[in-house]
Amino acid sequence: MDRPAKRATSADVARVAGVSRTTVSFVLNDKPGQTIPAETRRRVLEAARSLAYQPHSSARALAAGRSDIVLLSLPAMPIGAGISRFIEELATALAEHGLTLVTHLSGAQVRPLPAVCASVNASAVIGFEPFDADTARALHGAGAVFVFPFRTADADPMRSVGRLQAAYLIGRGHRRIGYAMPLSRGLRAMAEDRLDGAAEACAEAGIDAPVVASTDLEAATAARAVSEWTARSVTGVCAFNDETAIAVLAGMRTHGLAAPADLAVVGMDDIPTARLTVPPLTTFAFALADLSRRQAKAIVAGLAGGVPSAPLAAIAPRLVERASA
């Protein structure tokens, strides 16, 4: 088997162009304050293209004063369609600013976040949860210029999701609300935040707190949850996310029930399959492209020494009204 070609270096570019490595560095990094003849610049750029030269990340970081790596810290949880789509949108938005996204799942069995930050030479670290003071200090000590959570402790967009779901059902006349909790332990903290929001909406409407039943993505498990809700006169269900809502619809079919006549169901995320369920799923969703662009701008501002806002807390989910509720 042929060995892979050796990666081209700046010395190779300098040799082919017939200039010094310093000149190559000035041209490729577009260093200000240097007067490089147009012909020399052309030879360097042509040599770099012919050799498919790519500078090492450490060299780029040295030239820019920081790396182009943004480290995203995710809780140890299943990466469903909604979160996956958000990561894709954020990576795209960051790329427009010349930044590269790297993801890391936290948890007891993986490397500590500051160690990962140091190993990938991240300039910015962002997370779904607020960072405590010790973690923030450790991240800065590991080389991060900017440490930024999606939300602060006093601004929880997850709670607003549950509040909006329950308020929608209450507004359509439902007085006994259920909540579909995912069985996955990794999703439990986020789900409980959303449940708290649903409970707040119920309390404000003067009705009982939601009846909580757990399910995974199996029709049999969801059918047991549906049995519990119908036994307790629940008429509308807030599901943790669209996958959970689709499981609830499958559980209803097991009992010969249909939405919304027997049980209204509201999801969250507006994943592509939500419009294909029977009936099509009513859901809520963040405008992920807009959210990602705002997040990317906040990171760029932070890396430049500015004080960004928390964009996730500032964007409310929008209603996608279909036929399930």
Side-chain angles (χ1 to χ4, degrees):
M1 183 175 67
D2 292 338
R3 297 181 63 183
K6 181 182 176 182
R7 178 174 179 169
T9 67
S10 61
D12 296 324
V13 176
R15 175 179 51 80
V16 171
V19 299
S20 69
R21 291 181 65 181
T22 300
T23 299
V24 169
S25 176
F26 287 162
V27 171
L28 296 183
N29 293 315
D30 199 20
K31 191 172 181 65
Q34 301 296 323
T35 303
I36 307 294
E39 174 60 21
T40 301
R41 183 179 297 275
R42 183 191 64 77
R43 292 205 314 271
V44 170
L45 294 175
E46 285 190 357
R49 282 194 293 269
S50 69
L51 294 170
Y53 171 72
Q54 293 290 334
H56 285 275
S57 59
S58 57
R60 292 198 305 270
L62 184 62
R66 60 167 176 78
S67 77
D68 63 359
I69 301 299
V70 175
L71 179 60
L72 169 62
S73 175
L74 296 169
M77 62 182 181
I79 304 299
I83 294 174
S84 177
R85 189 170 56 175
F86 171 70
I87 293 172
E88 292 174 3
E89 292 282 1
L90 181 58
T92 300
L94 288 170
E96 293 173 357
H97 295 277
L99 299 172
T100 301
L101 184 67
V102 175
T103 59
H104 170 68
L105 284 175
S106 63
Q109 303 302 317
V110 299
R111 295 174 65 193
L113 185 61
V116 176
C117 174
S119 67
V120 302
N121 191 27
S123 284
V125 182
I126 55 179
F128 269 50
E129 302 294 328
F131 296 111
D132 59 54
D134 289 341
T135 299
R137 278 194 295 269
L139 289 170
H140 285 301
V145 176
F146 181 52
V147 177
F148 186 55
F150 284 110
R151 65 181 179 89
T152 58
D154 59 347
D156 190 348
M158 295 302 105
R159 188 183 295 261
S160 72
V161 169
R163 175 186 286 272
L164 287 170
Q165 288 176 307
Y168 175 79
L169 290 172
I170 293 167
R172 295 185 65 85
H174 297 279
R175 307 300 292 174
R176 192 70 167 126
I177 305 297
Y179 185 84
M181 177 76 71
L183 277 173
S184 170
R185 293 179 60 186
L187 297 172
R188 187 54 62 98
M190 190 183 300
E192 288 178 348
D193 284 344
R194 295 181 180 183
L195 172 60
D196 288 344
E200 289 173 357
C202 290
E204 291 173 2
I207 62 175
D208 291 340
V211 177
V212 180
S214 298
T215 184
D216 53 19
L217 301 185
E218 297 291 337
T221 312
R224 289 193 290 272
V226 171
S227 293
E228 183 172 350
W229 289 319
T230 55
R232 298 181 63 178
S233 302
V234 169
T235 61
V237 173
C238 308
F240 163 68
N241 62 9
D242 286 350
E243 287 98 333
T244 307
I246 292 169
V248 171
L249 293 175
M252 291 173 61
R253 288 195 296 273
T254 300
H255 293 289
L257 302 178
D262 299 304
L263 196 63
V265 182
V266 179
M268 174 65 204
D269 286 335
D270 192 27
I271 64 176
T273 50
R275 69 198 67 180
L276 303 177
T277 59
V278 180
L281 183 64
T282 294
T283 185
F284 284 84
F286 288 106
L288 292 182
D290 183 40
L291 172 60
S292 299
R293 286 192 295 269
R294 292 181 62 177
Q295 185 74 31
K297 288 179 180 178
I299 293 166
V300 171
L303 289 173
V307 181
S309 61
L312 187 58
I315 299 179
R318 60 183 174 83
L319 171 65
V320 183
E321 196 165 21
R322 298 194 179 102
S324 69

